[in-house]
Amino acid sequence: MDLIPAPRTHSFRPDAPPCPLGPRPWLDAGPGTAGTARWLRRELGAATGWDLPPPDPADGGAGIRLRLDPGLAVRLGPEGYALTAGDAGADLAGASPAGLFWAAQTLRQLLGPHAHRRSAPLGRGRSWILPRGTVEDGPRFAWRGMMLDVARHFTPKEGVLRHLDLLAAHKLNVLHLHLTDDQGWRIEITRHPRLTEVGAWRPRSRRGHRASPLWDETPHGGFYTQDDIREIVAYAAERHVTVVPEIDLPGHSQAAIAAYPELGNADVVDTAALGVWDDWGVSENVLAPTEAVLRFYEGVFEEVLELFPAEVSPFVHVGGDECPKNQWRASPTARRRIRELGVDGEDGLQAWFVRHFDRWLAERGRRLIGWDEILEGGLAPGAAVSSWRGYAGGIAAARAGHDVVMCPEQHVYLDHRQAPGPDEPVPIGYVRTLEDVYRFEPVPAGLSGEAAARVLGAQANVWTEVMEDQSRVDYQVFPRLAAFAEVVWSPLPGPAERDYGGFEERMAVHRRRLDAMGVRHRPPGGPLPWQRRPGVLGRPLDGEPPNV
Ligand code: ACM
């Protein structure tokens, strides 16, 4: 058994004779299974050369049967599935369309690494066999996510679609897109065109982390048109992945201020002179706490809500992290706002921003999610928290009755280095090996059953300051995302009991699947020569603590 993530139960035995599938298997798609049937014809059909026609009673060969069996949900949860492989082929039953789709992903893994390629070789083709047996499976968590920072370095649309395929191949079901930051604004907002005309590019970028003296003088930029976003959202939905958009406020907003200087604290700094930030870190240039700024962002969110329909993502992420308060302390406008609103100083202003959009989204039937700093002002009951500064924010939120997505930077920030030593490309943050990620536990000890049930799941976060392109993202993300997928999917009792040796054995096969999908993952022995970035400084430098 070499499935990743590991299923709940299976009956495969090494001595059982395998079942050939082919050369011309049929596809019998029962009611409600059209989406997975389409995916199989397109993806598995491409890799195998199969047409997967409907079954012909005159031709008794093997095939693939798809059906929905909602009763499976009782045992296996709403995304559960059962898969049986025998002489007649494969029978896939999903508790829901999502469960059936995960069954199809399992089927593809069972067919071997070449089933992940995009075409079958010319000529004779390959023979395809399935191990004989049954899988019964369903995820541990409902939120199995990855956050991709497309603001620091832009991932063009094609790369996002590819990433959605990679998430689906690992049975992950949330892509949180960090669409805006100091260094770039990546989503077209038609009523505020300068957000992308001005905000979507910067003249240069620092190469390496903050201490690096190197600059890449190439302009960097790009953005998703609204049609691109619609395509991404629909492509994700076909793969049972939810795209959660993040518009970060009131900090991490310099790109927006560069586009519309009136959004910034113009009584303190010359916001008209600001450009999109070309450096890394947390910019001091934050939004001004005015009604006009609220109206501007309401306009932004109106377009965001239209692009990300509620039935696809009830959640809208408003950031809320790392908002420096120096400009508000110096700003007469901000000081007046503090008095008018009767809020508790500058921290109260930040809470006022977040609470405004919490209410505004709730009135529109949506749910706000934000980084754990949003807890500091008191939240509406429906708001959820991405716990990134460790577990503490998530624990406090869960105890207060808020839903939580665990993504502590000490464990699942995949921009952080994968090994000690000088060879890791642009090494930053904590050393977090494949095994460390495999041993990550989303639910901290000590939570009551009720509070633990508030942990919707977890996500791995991929910040891209030191990842200039898709190859660098692949290197940081894989294979650790495979370990993460098993953490959030598989019913493992606890970190101490996780069988890392068994996982590593399965990873040997899984690496061949990643190769077939064109993923430039980190080899077990460390980076290949062209995966290194010699001489490009990361952080911490020698002697500094890991989280500077
Ligand atoms: C974060 O890492 N600033 C959420």
Side-chain angles (χ1 to χ4, degrees):
M1 200 295 289
D2 51 32
L3 296 171
I4 286 186
R8 279 197 202 187
T9 60
H10 71 87
S11 69
F12 298 125
R13 289 203 332 270
D15 55 348
C19 325
L21 194 58
R24 277 179 298 283
W26 41 261
L27 180 67
D28 181 5
T33 68
T36 292
R38 201 163 41 242
W39 182 85
L40 279 170
R41 287 204 171 96
R42 201 157 51 202
E43 306 272 326
L44 198 59
T48 56
W50 296 338
D51 293 330
L52 295 169
D56 175 356
D59 166 6
I64 301 168
R65 200 151 83 90
L66 306 181
R67 57 198 174 86
L68 294 185
D69 179 357
L72 287 174
V74 177
R75 254 182 317 120
L76 302 170
E79 294 179 83
Y81 70 87
L83 181 155
T84 302
D87 290 325
D91 179 81
L92 280 58
S96 63
L100 184 70
F101 182 70
W102 306 132
Q105 293 289 350
T106 294
L107 174 70
R108 185 167 64 158
Q109 287 200 1
L110 292 174
L111 284 167
H114 290 310
H116 294 75
R117 295 190 181 274
R118 290 200 200 186
S119 70
L122 296 173
R124 272 179 52 242
R126 305 181 196 282
S127 57
W128 300 92
I129 54 168
L130 282 171
R132 186 178 304 269
T134 297
V135 179
E136 290 207 334
D137 202 6
R140 179 176 169 202
F141 292 106
W143 186 299
R144 306 181 300 278
M146 192 191 113
M147 186 220 73
L148 184 61
D149 168 14
V150 294
R152 272 51 174 271
H153 280 102
F154 180 60
T155 296
K157 180 199 77 176
E158 282 302 313
V160 177
L161 301 181
R162 170 182 179 271
H163 223 91
L164 287 165
D165 283 323
L166 292 171
L167 293 184
H170 291 84
K171 300 189 174 78
L172 296 170
N173 68 346
V174 176
L175 177 64
H176 165 176
L177 276 184
H178 182 74
L179 288 164
T180 70
D181 214 302
D182 297 314
Q183 297 86 357
W185 183 285
R186 307 289 177 216
I187 176 171
E188 178 187 28
I189 301 295
T190 53
R191 76 188 71 182
H192 303 307
R194 286 174 58 84
L195 285 171
T196 43
E197 286 166 10
V198 173
W201 71 281
R202 57 180 183 263
R204 63 174 192 165
S205 307
R206 190 186 287 278
R207 190 161 156 71
H209 218 268
R210 284 167 242 166
S212 169
L214 306 175
W215 291 88
D216 180 344
E217 298 291 342
T218 317
H220 179 84
F223 67 94
Y224 310 115
T225 66
Q226 297 206 341
D227 283 330
D228 291 340
I229 295 281
R230 290 187 187 96
E231 181 184 359
I232 288 168
V233 167
Y235 192 90
E238 286 170 5
R239 286 151 184 77
H240 299 277
V241 178
T242 299
V243 184
V244 175
E246 180 186 352
I247 306 292
D248 206 342
L249 61 81
H252 288 284
S253 298
Q254 184 168 325
I257 297 166
Y260 292 96
E262 63 272 26
L263 296 175
N265 295 287
D267 57 347
V268 186
V269 283
D270 180 6
T271 55
L274 285 177
V276 176
W277 207 20
D278 59 9
D279 210 347
W280 311 129
V282 179
S283 168
E284 290 288 327
N285 294 300
V286 304
L287 297 179
T290 65
E291 290 296 323
V293 169
L294 295 187
R295 297 294 92 72
F296 183 99
Y297 272 81
E298 286 170 2
V300 170
F301 281 116
E302 275 173 21
E303 296 191 24
V304 168
L305 295 196
E306 191 266 318
L307 293 168
F308 296 84
E311 58 274 23
V312 174
S313 172
F315 285 105
V316 175
H317 207 291
V318 302
D321 58 325
E322 300 181 313
C323 180
K325 307 295 187 312
N326 291 331
Q327 292 189 350
W328 290 349
R329 270 189 280 276
S331 157
T333 307
R335 308 224 57 76
R336 196 165 56 245
R337 281 311 272 166
I338 290 170
R339 285 194 302 278
E340 284 166 8
L341 296 166
V343 298
D344 187 12
E346 292 78 24
D347 290 341
L349 275 185
Q350 170 159 343
W352 167 80
F353 258 108
V354 173
R355 271 207 308 271
H356 174 81
F357 286 104
D358 190 9
R359 243 185 348 261
W360 189 92
L361 287 167
E363 283 163 11
R364 285 154 185 80
R366 298 306 187 93
R367 295 182 62 188
L368 175 143
I369 183 166
W371 302 112
D372 54 67
E373 288 94 328
I374 68 169
L375 280 168
E376 287 156 17
L379 282 178
V385 169
S386 309
S387 188
W388 76 275
R389 292 179 297 179
Y391 286 107
I395 291 171
R399 288 191 172 139
H402 294 289
D403 286 338
V404 174
V405 175
M406 281 294 182
C407 47
E409 62 172 340
Q410 298 83 353
H411 300 277
V412 286
Y413 266 35
L414 299 187
D415 47 331
H416 290 187
R417 67 191 82 190
Q418 313 195 48
D423 283 347
E424 288 304 305
V426 201
I428 66 170
Y430 299 96
V431 174
R432 289 298 174 256
T433 64
L434 183 62
E435 179 167 0
D436 292 331
V437 173
Y438 191 66
R439 295 195 184 283
F440 165 61
E441 172 49 43
V443 181
L447 281 187
S448 69
E450 199 183 335
R454 288 294 184 177
V455 179
L456 300 179
Q459 66 183 35
N461 291 342
V462 182
W463 302 100
T464 57
E465 289 94 332
V466 298
M467 292 174 227
E468 67 278 10
D469 60 23
Q470 186 171 286
S471 303
R472 281 285 296 121
V473 172
D474 274 7
Y475 181 91
Q476 292 301 127
V477 171
F478 295 100
R480 290 185 295 182
L481 197 70
F484 177 82
E486 188 144 317
V487 166
V488 286
W489 177 280
S490 304
L492 296 172
E497 292 102 299
R498 288 188 207 279
D499 173 15
Y500 183 68
F503 174 73
E504 263 191 316
E505 278 173 30
R506 285 180 285 122
M507 270 309 296
V509 177
H510 196 68
R511 284 179 185 278
R512 291 171 52 216
R513 295 185 193 120
L514 296 176
D515 288 336
M517 290 188 282
V519 176
R520 280 151 285 183
H521 50 97
R522 180 187 188 276
L528 300 167
W530 58 90
Q531 291 176 316
R532 297 188 186 132
R533 294 291 180 274
V536 183
L537 291 181
R539 74 177 164 92
L541 304 173
D542 283 346
E544 288 178 339
N547 57 346
V548 294

